């Protein structure tokens, strides 16, 4: 029997969402803290209709709408199996820990839901007990006395004729020796394992020993495992494996919450539409919700990319450790030699790339910058360059050859362990294919030429050669069509989907039908009463090298006197550094000044900011979205510049070139550059007002929003706020609003 109400086709008659979310609904009558939101009810009713019709809905729901309740309530009332995908693990956790329990209690139904994360988020019992036994058997010996077992076995093997550099392939447990695993950490891990085992026995709400959100990354790496190293059924803990138990429960749960990254990872291994095809980790869902849907295109591009990078060196270290510990009769020496040859090729490529950095900061460059001596930035993606770079070409050949040799070796030894060797054969094949595509992408006869861009990213410690799809609309659009043809309803929702109240770009980006139902639901916040907006033509121009200094000087009195915390959001790391130095000089006697990349993690910095209540936080990219600071702790948000993507970004430039080729020269500025900057600006501005009682000031220190014609699009896309003529007016507004 289903855990949820049956007869979903008649639910709109007997279980209409207005009975719960209406002004006199069941929630209002039983919860004194309930606030009726017209937008919330509108969204809930529209989504209930979508579920009943097995159709699609795109819904922008402004901050404060209560959109999670607006889609969860009709979803749970529908009796359908639901998949929910979010952009962040933070929202994933909020849904599981707060929103879903609340609604299940309101509806008086069982809590048949769960959160599912990637394989390496869960504690591996095999690794945990190995670590625990080492710790327990020490009899008080220091952790420094432990030597990695894999290193021991390699040293004692008959195949001991190895070069000194081969030791790089072994995991020497450096974190263990540094005291990462302390008695306190072991006690916490033991308690977590016991608590989870007990919850599984009682079939209580379980997170299946998810450790990523609970421990430092150095600890997590010691007790988790990548999927390809898992022994699966050969492991003595297989029947009680947290990851497989989580997957098994997910396949039979009514509501499963994942993140967009995991969704894209499962696209090619799950077939939710074929009831005869076994489920791997997701149930046969009948409705899917994409929350924070504005992030789908960027996350999709990243997860549908292919790369060859120096990260592989770490991967090979783990491979050798795994092989020595778990696989018998494997020619370790041959494998190490094959891996060393790849590492040699990777190191040679890295050394060469460092001699030809395209920009002072060593950022991304188009692959053609390295492929051709006579490269120049052209608007033609098929520009025919004449002079090839032999040094780069030779290094790509060396990489190709080393991967091919390793692939042949692993094919020959595949019978020793089908799963592991097959995964590595696939990895080598993908690397070979990526190298070939990167070297031929500028040829018109390459089928990927108009769909992908090749990039090179270099830093002092690493590099990455990457093949990235320009858009996801083809692949994701195909998924949407399959949903429609199989009567699986889809909801795409976010607080920031529209550009000047239009859905055109988002619908195009995800490959949805242009006739898809789109609705805009206004926020419950009264932005005119809650927010002061200030911009001035006197702010320095975007190209002014002293602009950050001038902006801070112009806003110095406002920053000094505002009652509460301040966010200063920048569009570049260089601007962030300059702003930090100036803020330390001008404000550190009065306020704590916190800055990204200055020792504290982002999460710890945010906690400190909230706790202080009067600090200045200077941040870039990651602080423009997903940050929630309600109350006086955040009273002022300053945005240094309209967040246009840098024209030097090779992926974005290739996307613009592709768009212009299809729709006309320079069309991309109006249809890509401006819209994507609008979404980013709306995200940044959205940090300010998070509650009905919040009051704050928003300053956009870029005169282009007033002086350029496209500035109107930015202004029309923001909520209607009280416009101030001076920074003093902002301070007056805040003081009056706080005192009223």
């Amino acid at each position: 029997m289903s855990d949820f109400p049956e007869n979903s086709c008649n639910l709109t008659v007997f279980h209409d969402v207005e009975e719960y979310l209406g002004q006199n609904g069941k929630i209002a009558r039983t919860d004194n803290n309930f606030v009726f939101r017209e937008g919330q009810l509108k969204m809930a009713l529209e989504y209930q209709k979508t579920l009943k019709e097995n159709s699609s809905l795109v819904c922008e729901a402004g901050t404060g709408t209560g959109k999670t309740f607006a889609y969860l309530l009709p979803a749970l009332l529908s009796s359908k199996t639901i998949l929910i995908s979010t952009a962040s693990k933070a929202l994933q956790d909020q849904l599981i820990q707060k929103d879903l329990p609340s609604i299940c209690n309101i509806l008086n139904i069982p809590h048949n839901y769960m959160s599912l994360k990637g394989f390496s988020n869960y504690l591996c019992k095999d690794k945990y007990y190995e670590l625990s036994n080492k710790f327990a058997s020490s009899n008080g010996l220091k952790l420094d006395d432990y030597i990695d077992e894999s290193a021991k076995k390699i040293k004692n093997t008959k195949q001991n004729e190895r070069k000194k550099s081969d030791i790089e392939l072994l995991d020497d447990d450096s974190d263990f020796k540094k005291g990462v695993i302390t008695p306190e950490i072991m006690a916490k891990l033991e308690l977590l394992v016991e608590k989870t085992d007990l919850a599984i026995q009682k079939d209580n709400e379980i997170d299946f020993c998810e450790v990523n959100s609970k421990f430092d990354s150095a600890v997590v790496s010691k007790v988790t495992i990548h999927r390809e190293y898992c022994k699966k059924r050969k492991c003595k803990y297989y029947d009680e494996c947290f990851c497989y138990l989580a997957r098994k429960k997910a396949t039979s749960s009514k509501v499963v919450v994942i993140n967009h990254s995991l969704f894209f990872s499962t696209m090619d291994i799950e077939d939710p539409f074929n009831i005869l095809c076994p489920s791997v980790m997701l149930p046969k869902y009948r409705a899917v919700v994409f929350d924070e849907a504005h992030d789908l295109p960027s996350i999709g591009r990243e997860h549908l990319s292919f790369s060859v990078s120096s990260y592989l060196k770490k991967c090979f270290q783990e491979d050798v450790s795994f092989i020595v510990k778990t696989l018998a009769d494997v020619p370790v020496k041959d494998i190490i030699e094959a891996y060393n040859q790849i590492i040699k090729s990777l190191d040679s490529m890295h050394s060469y790339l460092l001699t030809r950095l395209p920009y002072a900061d060593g950022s991304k460059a188009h692959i053609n910058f390295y492929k051709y001596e006579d490269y120049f930035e052209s608007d033609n993606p098929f520009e025919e360059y004449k002079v090839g770079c032999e040094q780069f070409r030779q290094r790509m050949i060396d990489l190709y050859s080393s991967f091919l040799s390793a692939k042949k070796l692993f094919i020959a030894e595949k019978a020793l362990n089908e799963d592991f060797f097959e995964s590595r054969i696939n990895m080598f094949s993908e690397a070979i294919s990526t190298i070939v595509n990167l070297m031929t992408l500028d040829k018109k006869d390459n089928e990927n030429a108009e769909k992908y861009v090749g990039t090179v990213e270099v830093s002092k410690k690493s590099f990455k050669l990457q093949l990235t799809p320009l858009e996801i609309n083809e692949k994701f659009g195909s998924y949407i069509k399959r949903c429609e043809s199989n009567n699986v309803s889809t909801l795409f929702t976010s607080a920031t989907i529209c550009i000047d109240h239009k859905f055109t770009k988002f619908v195009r980006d995800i490959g949805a039908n242009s006739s898809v139902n789109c609705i805009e639901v206004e926020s419950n916040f009264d932005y005119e009463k809650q927010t002061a907006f200030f911009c001035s033509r006197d702010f320095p121009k975007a190209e002014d090298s002293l602009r950050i200094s001038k902006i801070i000087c112009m806003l110095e009195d406002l920053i000094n006197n505002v009652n509460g915390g301040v966010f200063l959001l920048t569009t570049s790391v260089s601007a962030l550094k300059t702003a930090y130095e100036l803020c330390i000089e001008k404000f550190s006697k009065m306020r704590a000044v916190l800055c990204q990349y200055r020792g504290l993690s982002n999460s710890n910095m945010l906690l400190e900011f909230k706790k202080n209540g009067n600090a200045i936080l200077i941040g870039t990219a990651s602080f423009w979205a997903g940050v929630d600071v309600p109350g006086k702790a955040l009273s002022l948000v300053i945005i240094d510049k309209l967040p246009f993507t840098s024209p030097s970004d090779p992926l974005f430039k290739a996307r613009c070139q592709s768009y212009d080729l299809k729709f006309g020269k320079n069309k991309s500025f109006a249809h890509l550059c401006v819209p994507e900057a609008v979404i980013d600006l709306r995200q940044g501005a959205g940090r300010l007002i998070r509650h009905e009682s919040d009051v704050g000031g928003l300053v956009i220190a870029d005169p282009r929003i007033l002086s350029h014609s496209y500035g109107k699009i930015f202004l029309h896309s923001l909520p209607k706020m009280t416009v101030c003529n001076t920074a003093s007016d902002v301070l007056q507004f805040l003081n009056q609003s706080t005192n009223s």
Side-chain angles (χ1 to χ4, degrees), residues 36 80 243 251 309 452 486 529 567 611:
F36 170 72
K80 294 187 177 187
C243 184
T251 61
S309 74
Y452 287 81
N486 286 277
K529 288 185 178 180
F567 261 17
K611 181 181 177 182

Side-chain angles (χ1 to χ4, degrees), residues 154 157-162 166 169 319-320 322-324 326-340 405-406 408-417 420-421:
I154 290 268
T157 186
K158 293 180 181 179
Q159 300 169 340
N160 57 5
E161 297 176 3
R162 297 167 49 246
D166 289 348
L169 290 171
D319 277 5
V320 173
F322 169 77
I323 290 169
V324 171
T326 61
L327 304 181
D329 302 320
V330 172
V332 179
K333 182 180 178 182
D334 293 342
I335 290 174
I336 289 176
E337 285 179 356
Y339 278 169
N340 273 334
S405 296
K408 290 177 179 177
L409 173 64
F410 275 58
I411 289 174
E413 305 297 340
K414 182 178 174 180
L416 295 172
N417 186 294
F420 173 74
F421 281 94

Side-chain angles (χ1 to χ4, degrees), residues 353 358 362-368 370 392 438 454-458 463-466 650:
L353 294 176
S363 57
K364 280 185 183 179
H366 195 285
I367 187 79
N368 285 349
Y370 294 96
F392 181 75
L438 286 170
T455 59
V456 180
E457 189 171 9
V458 194
F463 79 91
K464 181 192 287 185
L465 310 173
Q466 185 156 307

Side-chain angles (χ1 to χ4, degrees), residues 122-316:
Y122 299 97
L123 180 139
C124 167
K125 279 196 170 181
D126 193 36
K127 289 188 73 173
Y128 164 71
Y129 283 120
E130 180 184 7
L131 187 71
S132 181
N133 289 336
K134 283 182 182 180
F135 194 86
S137 63
S138 64
N139 291 321
L141 292 177
K142 294 180 180 179
L143 293 177
D144 289 344
D145 294 331
Y146 288 110
I147 301 173
D148 183 65
E149 289 296 323
S150 63
K152 250 185 183 177
K153 291 181 181 179
I154 290 268
K155 287 178 181 178
N156 294 332
T157 186
K158 293 180 181 179
Q159 300 169 340
N160 57 5
E161 297 176 3
R162 297 167 49 246
K163 298 176 184 177
K164 188 176 181 180
S165 62
D166 289 348
I167 197 67
E168 294 175 11
L169 290 171
L170 303 177
D171 177 4
D172 65 1
D173 243 348
S174 58
D175 285 335
F176 205 38
K177 292 178 180 179
K178 290 175 185 175
V180 171
I181 307 298
T182 63
E184 291 79 12
I185 291 294
M186 285 305 303
K188 288 179 180 179
L189 286 169
E190 184 177 0
L191 184 62
L192 180 62
V193 171
E194 290 178 356
K195 181 181 176 183
T196 307
D197 281 338
L198 184 62
I200 291 172
Q201 290 175 20
K202 294 185 176 181
D203 198 25
N204 291 342
E205 293 177 27
I206 317 159
D207 72 356
F208 292 96
C209 229
E210 187 274 321
V211 290
N212 251 339
S213 62
K214 302 180 181 75
F215 296 93
D216 183 84
S217 59
V219 176
V220 171
S221 68
K222 293 295 173 187
V223 293
T224 59
I225 193 168
H226 289 288
R227 182 171 48 83
E228 57 265 36
Y229 302 128
C230 177
K231 300 174 187 175
K232 299 182 176 63
R233 294 188 181 277
K234 294 179 182 178
C235 178
K236 57 186 175 182
Y237 302 108
Y238 178 79
D239 291 336
E240 51 190 281
C241 172
F242 292 129
C243 184
Y244 282 108
L245 287 173
R247 290 182 170 197
K248 183 179 179 181
K249 183 173 182 182
T251 61
S252 60
S253 293
K254 268 293 185 180
V255 181
V256 177
V257 185
I258 63 174
N259 55 58
H260 297 340
S261 297
L262 184 58
F263 172 81
F264 282 106
S265 298
T266 63
M267 280 189 82
D268 293 327
I269 61 174
E270 290 278 0
D271 187 354
F273 313 112
N274 184 354
I275 196 70
L276 298 178
C277 183
S279 295
V280 178
M281 64 182 80
L282 299 179
K284 300 295 183 183
Y285 54 86
R286 304 307 302 159
V288 57
V289 176
F290 293 98
D291 202 341
E292 300 175 314
H294 66 279
D295 278 325
L296 279 170
S298 59
I299 293 175
R301 277 191 290 270
E302 185 62 31
H303 276 266
L304 299 175
S305 297
F306 305 95
S307 66
V308 175
S309 74
S310 46
Y311 161 77
L312 289 170
K313 294 162 68 174
K314 175 65 175 175
C315 176
F316 296 157

Side-chain angles (χ1 to χ4, degrees), residues 54 271-275 285-286 479-489:
N54 298 317
D271 187 354
F273 313 112
N274 184 354
I275 196 70
Y285 54 86
R286 304 307 302 159
Y479 166 78
I480 294 173
K481 287 176 183 175
R482 291 194 71 195
C483 286
E484 291 171 349
S485 62
N486 286 277
N487 292 322
V488 174
S489 66

